[in-house]
Amino acid sequence: MKRRIPTLILLCAGALLASAPASARAPYPDDPLASPMWQAHATTIFGDDPVRFDPRVKVAFPEIAENQRSFPVALDARGIGPVKRMVIFADLNPIPIAIDYRPKAAEPYIATRIKLDQRTPVRGAVQLADGQWLVSGGWVDAAGGGCSAPPVSRVKGDWAQHLGEMRGEAWPAPGANGGGGVSRLRITFRHPMDTGFVANIPTYNIEAMEVRSASGAVLGDMDIWASVSEDPAITLMPQARAGETLTVEGRDSNGRDYIARVPVSQQSPMPLAAAR
Amino acid sequence: MILSRRTMIGGLLASMPVVAMAANAEYKIAPVAVADGVWMIHGDDAPILPTNGGAIANIAIIATPAGTVLVDSGPSLRYGRALKTVAEQVTGKPVIRVYVTHLHPDHGMGIAAFDPAIVAALPQTIGDMQRDGRGFADAMYRILGDWMRGTELLLPGRRIEQASEDFGGRTLRLLPLSGHSAADLALLDESTGTLIAGDLLFHDRAPSTPTADLAKWRQSLDALKAVPHHGAIPGHGPFDPSGGAAIAQTRDWIDWLEASLTEAVKSGLDMVEAGNIDIPPRFAGMAAARYELQRSVSHLYPGLEAALLPRVDIQDR
């Protein structure tokens, strides 16, 4: 028991140190979620850019965290204006940021699944072309351990047999204003996405992905962290018409490359998707 | 002032009256007669919550000449003890057998209040409880806190390997099925024709799928339909006096669920969106429908994606 006291003092000192730089700069707006990590994450992610909480940024997730290793999150900033960055993060995860996405010729929409290590705010932050950040999100109650439990494929032992398998499909989608020329791309990878928090399994994750048009133009690219779930699944809305072929390229932290080609199907969106 | 760990905890409790009130809360157990010598305790048709102490599963009490038989035992030691008292008051006879229909903790953790020698389950259920019980217990303690106090994970001491069990002339037929989980026990009280279906049947309460195999579940529903019976006690939701409504409704939901999630994957929906699709009006009276749909998306969607989305990676570069 006695040995724990210095640790506690160190943690407290650490908290003071962490808050010191924040107090030196102009404060960020008060966090409606009252998260203990808001100021620290705001400093890291937003720096000197202006920040505002804005409900037009839609962060959607289920009402229950059924699986703390794989919690669906969708970040939708369509209809607000030109967006240059979109960040999904969970304040109390040991790896807070999940995805940092730059939609270049794509609707400002991204959906994926993340790990939750405990009850935490889950947020989306969207940077507009003028530099200001709009933030939204909510608390999610979750059982612990999403980042520190071994991936299913590590337990089964078959992760290497399936590493790099990619599945996907793309469909024409209505644009933000009902316009055409926008696709809905879904892409999945088989990858253990090791966080480094499981004994004797070092960090190993997909760390980058980009989507290109047939002519090679980058439609969107992103940084990906190990807090994205095992076997990542990502949904984007790049600008592409029916019949065009999208190229998806990824790279993991061991330098392994992943590449896939996904044609945008000729079918019109099915009723469920059209209702979105 | 020197803060010891104990005074800190005391201070926390003083500032959290809700938690303090939850301590020593009692379960309200009200058996309702559904057939001659058969009572049903209707669980809360809601998720497992601190407000219901996890008492969401239906329990059956059967009076036999040899003693009282229980089907399922609730979520906790406290529930199991209260259940034993109430059941013995209702029948006037001691509990001599407790069946566990399947591995889920809302049905089986109450066996902590009973002698394992009188608790019976299918062999696969016992193995699954051994494998998953610790994790279930952790989750139940996290959500329910004090309601779970003292509840230890026990395993049923009797493996069901016979087709029926006789209790002084009252015979219970034991139907080994599966689909809601890897092993689901249903029982038929032959003297009244009452079907006690465990979680193979949900009635006006959306079915849950954390361990489901939908194809096997359909087969089991067919098997239940083929068993002549009168009323049915579902695992969740009100008693079904017709005996057929709950079977039809459970089947309708899992058919709709699988078809809808398949269409969602084929339409390019992400999991969040799939959890927000419209639920048809015919399920409007079903409790916890959105909640269970979103849980089922979590359980079933990755498998459907792997089956339905084509491979697109390029191997030889």
Side-chain angles (χ1 to χ4, degrees):
Chain A
M1 279 308 290
K2 276 194 171 170
R3 292 186 61 108
R4 298 182 66 170
I5 292 168
T7 319
L8 271 174
I9 291 168
L10 278 176
L11 283 173
C12 294
L16 284 174
L17 285 174
S19 61
S23 60
R25 71 170 69 242
Y28 298 101
D30 283 345
D31 177 17
L33 303 181
S35 160
M37 291 301 288
W38 163 246
Q39 295 291 337
H41 289 322
T43 306
T44 308
I45 300 170
F46 312 128
D48 292 324
D49 296 326
V51 180
R52 182 154 52 89
F53 290 96
D54 192 322
R56 290 176 300 166
V57 174
K58 296 189 194 78
V59 182
F61 43 70
E63 63 188 67
I64 177 178
E66 175 68 6
N67 180 355
Q68 70 269 32
R69 302 169 181 213
S70 180
F71 181 68
V73 182
L75 174 55
D76 185 353
R78 287 177 287 174
I80 298 175
V83 167
K84 60 180 185 182
R85 265 177 84 187
M86 308 179 78
V87 179
I88 295 173
F89 67 103
D91 288 31
L92 302 184
N93 267 356
I95 305 170
I97 297 177
I99 284 187
D100 183 345
Y101 173 45
R102 295 160 296 268
K104 294 190 161 60
E107 291 292 312
Y109 173 94
I110 181 166
T112 189
R113 294 153 209 174
I114 67 172
K115 297 164 186 152
L116 298 174
D117 212 45
Q118 62 171 85
R119 183 172 186 268
T120 176
V122 172
R123 305 189 202 251
V126 167
Q127 190 176 31
L128 302 184
D130 66 4
Q132 69 166 319
W133 287 91
L134 307 181
V135 183
S136 190
W139 278 93
V140 175
D141 189 21
C147 295
S148 44
V152 173
S153 63
R154 290 273 182 198
V155 175
K156 282 168 75 178
D158 68 345
W159 67 272
Q161 282 98 294
H162 297 288
L163 185 72
E165 289 181 9
M166 296 169 74
R167 293 180 180 275
E169 210 163 346
W171 303 261
N177 303 311
V182 174
S183 72
R184 171 173 275 258
L185 168 68
R186 302 210 62 225
I187 197 88
T188 68
F189 296 81
R190 292 295 307 269
H191 201 287
M193 297 296 282
D194 296 307
T195 56
F197 300 132
V198 179
N200 299 317
I201 305 176
T203 310
Y204 180 44
N205 61 282
I206 294 174
E207 58 183 14
M209 188 184 108
E210 70 176 28
V211 180
R212 293 197 309 268
S213 70
S215 66
V218 176
L219 304 177
D221 61 8
M222 67 183 73
D223 298 318
I224 299 173
W225 276 263
S227 46
V228 167
S229 298
E230 178 184 15
D231 298 337
I234 293 169
T235 307
L236 302 174
M237 298 185 72
Q239 288 170 14
R241 292 181 182 282
E244 286 182 46
T245 296
L246 296 167
T247 299
V248 181
E249 272 200 56
R251 188 189 63 246
D252 74 20
S253 53
N254 280 7
R256 192 187 194 282
D257 290 322
Y258 303 85
I259 185 163
R261 290 198 211 290
V262 187
V264 182
S265 74
Q266 294 285 0
Q267 86 176 16
S268 57
M270 291 174 78
L272 277 174
R276 292 299 109 202
Chain B
M1 180 185 169
I2 298 165
L3 277 181
S4 74
R5 196 184 176 90
R6 180 162 299 171
T7 53
M8 283 182 71
I9 291 169
L12 278 173
L13 282 180
S15 66
M16 296 167 81
V18 177
V19 171
M21 272 167 60
N24 300 317
E26 291 300 325
Y27 291 100
K28 291 180 182 62
I29 297 177
V32 173
V34 295
D36 185 27
V38 184
W39 292 262
M40 178 178 126
I41 299 161
H42 186 174
D44 190 12
D45 293 331
I48 293 169
L49 295 169
T51 48
N52 58 34
I56 64 168
N58 293 341
I59 315 275
I61 303 169
I62 305 156
T64 78
T68 301
V69 174
L70 299 176
V71 181
D72 284 332
S73 57
S76 62
L77 173 67
R78 193 182 300 167
Y79 189 97
R81 283 181 176 157
L83 169 65
K84 183 172 190 291
T85 304
V86 169
E88 290 178 350
Q89 276 169 3
V90 165
T91 62
K93 289 188 173 156
V95 173
I96 54 160
R97 175 76 66 249
V98 181
Y99 292 105
V100 177
T101 57
H102 64 292
L103 78 162
H104 293 154
D106 50 328
H107 295 260
M109 289 204 71
I111 63 172
F114 298 91
D115 175 0
I118 67 163
V119 180
L122 293 169
Q124 169 96 40
T125 299
I126 298 171
D128 289 352
M129 288 175 80
Q130 196 158 18
R131 184 195 62 206
D132 294 341
R134 189 61 57 195
F136 283 145
D138 288 350
M140 295 292 275
Y141 270 89
R142 186 184 83 82
I143 298 170
L144 297 176
D146 188 75
W147 288 105
M148 295 297 292
R149 195 195 316 159
T151 307
E152 297 285 342
L153 175 69
L154 289 189
L155 294 176
R158 301 175 72 93
R159 300 159 63 87
I160 295 174
E161 275 153 350
Q162 73 276 37
S164 66
E165 193 166 4
D166 180 81
F167 298 95
R170 188 162 195 159
T171 301
L172 298 179
R173 204 184 305 167
L174 307 174
L175 308 166
L177 300 166
S178 66
H180 173 72
S181 71
D184 294 293
L185 176 69
L187 301 94
L188 181 75
D189 172 37
E190 295 196 334
S191 65
T192 62
T194 307
L195 183 65
I196 304 159
D199 275 6
L200 289 170
L201 292 188
F202 283 69
H203 188 211
D204 293 339
R205 197 280 186 197
S208 73
T209 59
T211 49
D213 178 325
L214 298 183
K216 287 184 179 157
W217 199 337
R218 286 189 194 95
Q219 289 171 13
S220 292
L221 291 173
D222 288 343
L224 291 180
K225 208 172 168 180
V227 174
H229 63 276
H230 298 294
I233 296 180
H236 297 267
F239 178 69
D240 172 16
S242 76
I247 295 176
Q249 195 187 49
T250 302
R251 173 146 198 148
D252 192 13
W253 174 274
I254 64 175
D255 285 353
W256 169 78
L257 180 70
E258 191 167 42
S260 301
L261 296 188
T262 298
E263 194 189 349
V265 171
K266 288 182 173 174
S267 302
L269 299 203
D270 188 82
M271 275 169 74
V272 175
E273 297 160 331
N276 287 332
I277 60 172
D278 291 339
I279 296 172
R282 67 181 189 276
F283 297 129
M286 220 174 212
R290 177 69 57 191
Y291 171 83
E292 291 299 348
L293 169 62
Q294 294 189 347
R295 292 184 73 202
S296 292
V297 168
S298 174
H299 308 143
L300 304 174
Y301 217 67
L304 288 169
E305 288 171 338
L308 297 168
L309 295 178
R311 278 286 288 276
V312 289
D313 50 298
I314 297 165
Q315 301 291 343
D316 49 339
R317 302 179 58 210

